[in-house]
Amino acid sequence: MPEEWQARAFDLCLGLLLAPAEPVGIRVYALTAATRLAGAYPELAAELLVAIENVLSTTTSAALYSRAARETPKLCAVTRDVLPG
């Protein structure tokens, strides 16, 4: 994906993930897509980790919990390698 589109795609994915009215399948896929986009940008990975915490505090969806459990370690690895603290 061209670099100039990545920010727009990430913002769209984050918006879909945080929208409780969206179907769970869309939110789960948005989480995966956002993780892939954030992989090269530690600041985005940190932002996505905060969003995941917010989503998990307001949902009971097993699918979202499962996908978050799979994607969170990837995001933590990105932030740990670059960001202090």
Side-chain angles (χ1 to χ4, degrees):
M1 173 181 300
E3 192 170 317
E4 61 268 11
W5 292 359
Q6 289 180 5
R8 294 177 101 182
F10 181 80
D11 287 341
L12 177 63
C13 290
L14 199 58
L16 290 170
L17 174 63
L18 293 172
E22 289 295 330
V24 173
I26 290 174
R27 296 174 74 196
V28 167
Y29 186 75
L31 173 55
T32 299
T35 300
R36 290 178 184 163
L37 290 166
Y41 305 99
E43 298 82 10
L44 294 181
E47 184 179 345
L48 185 54
L49 284 168
V50 171
I52 290 171
E53 288 178 20
N54 290 338
V55 167
L56 294 182
S57 70
T58 61
T59 189
T60 58
S61 168
L64 276 169
Y65 274 94
S66 175
R67 187 63 56 96
R70 187 169 63 186
E71 302 296 354
T72 300
K74 298 174 190 175
L75 295 166
C76 288
V78 170
T79 58
R80 186 179 10 219
D81 289 344
V82 179
L83 296 178

